[in-house]
Amino acid sequence: MVATPSPDQNRLGRLARFLGVGDTAFAIEFGTGIDPVLNARVHRAAALIREATFPGVVETVPSFRSLLVHYDPLATGAAALQEAMAGLDLGEAVVSAPERVWVIPTLYGGEAGPDLDEVARATGLSPAEVVARHADTLFRVYVQGFLPGFAYLGVLPPELELPRLTTPRVRVPAGSVAIAQRMSGVYPVESPGGWRLIGNTPLRFFDHAMTPPTLFAPGDGVRFRPVEAGEHAAIRAAVARGDYAPEQEAGR
């Protein structure tokens, strides 16, 4: 028989620890590593804090395993906020399906994905098998960072887990679909980068004129859809004209 946990066991103060981050913020840390249960607690805590409307809270920023809380020190203090937040009941950690799932058209291999063949050799799979495993995975947006619009997507199938490149590239083209360790991601702009490039998408992931300026949001689902060169070019042209709406699957 499994014992029914007491309500106190689901209190934020028992499931996390508070860490100071300067004089206007603190972090609520739920554990270590990339874990969907920890991430579910992060987003549940963020939702409860929004609903509670604690005086002085400016913004919350979720990450893999922690939640950063920004506050106005002229309106409140860290100790008072932490004491109040520690009593929040997170309930059971439920890893629910994403409310929305973005479908990302991707041209794999060749010039679009120059590391695909090497990934295949390193994993013992064929290039087609690498593409199939990547495209069959429903990824979750854990956190955004590194570049505006760059989303860390997890988690990769274990057979695709590889380290970053020993020597990063000086230039990675915008739209490059990449993998590293347990994560996948898309470079939103041309930049240096050390992830392994397996494909390219013509979509835009950051535009300061958009509201919000990033396509993805933490907690979203992401699925990659293989396309041929002709469709990739047609979508790129439509995106440039401003008349392409990114695809979505029905969420939960």
Side-chain angles (χ1 to χ4, degrees):
M1 178 180 295
V2 178
T4 302
S6 68
D8 284 348
Q9 288 181 286
N10 294 324
R11 300 291 181 187
L12 187 150
R14 290 182 63 97
L15 296 172
R17 63 174 182 160
F18 295 97
L19 303 172
V21 184
D23 57 1
T24 62
F26 58 85
I28 305 174
E29 185 182 80
F30 288 89
T32 60
I34 301 171
D35 185 311
V37 172
L38 295 181
N39 196 244
R41 287 176 177 159
V42 168
H43 288 284
R44 177 62 177 158
L48 291 176
I49 290 170
R50 286 195 301 270
E51 293 170 5
T53 61
F54 292 108
V57 172
V58 176
E59 183 184 20
T60 59
V61 182
S63 72
F64 290 104
R65 56 189 176 84
S66 63
L67 184 69
L68 183 65
V69 179
H70 291 275
Y71 64 91
D72 180 356
L74 299 180
T76 187
L81 283 176
Q82 291 172 13
E83 182 178 359
M85 292 177 183
L88 292 173
D89 184 359
L90 300 186
E92 292 296 316
V94 177
V95 183
S96 57
E99 293 186 0
R100 62 179 180 179
V101 177
W102 298 99
V103 180
I104 308 304
T106 302
L107 176 63
Y108 286 93
E111 292 184 6
D115 294 326
L116 178 62
D117 289 343
E118 176 57 32
V119 168
R121 285 191 290 270
T123 58
L125 301 170
S126 69
E129 289 172 327
V130 172
V131 171
R133 282 164 170 74
H134 188 262
D136 287 346
T137 301
L138 175 59
F139 292 96
R140 182 181 296 269
V141 178
Y142 276 82
V143 65
Q144 297 195 86
F146 167 57
L147 291 167
F150 186 96
Y152 290 82
L153 310 175
V155 292
L156 277 172
E159 60 269 30
L160 296 185
E161 293 180 18
L162 293 170
R164 291 174 171 84
L165 297 173
T166 303
T167 302
R169 289 180 169 89
V170 175
R171 291 183 178 179
V172 173
S176 292
V177 176
I179 60 173
Q181 298 175 327
R182 303 185 67 197
M183 309 302 292
S184 189
V186 183
Y187 286 82
V189 296
E190 183 181 284
S191 74
W195 290 28
R196 297 171 189 266
L197 310 183
I198 61 172
N200 183 275
T201 178
L203 300 192
R204 289 177 180 164
F205 296 88
F206 176 78
D207 185 341
H208 64 83
M210 296 192 307
T211 303
T214 58
L215 182 63
F216 297 152
D220 282 355
V222 177
R223 194 182 299 281
F224 293 88
R225 178 174 67 83
V227 300
E228 299 298 331
E231 184 177 358
H232 183 274
I235 294 173
R236 181 180 297 280
V239 169
R241 294 193 303 268
D243 58 5
Y244 182 83
E247 303 173 53
Q248 289 189 38
E249 289 181 359
R252 65 187 182 198

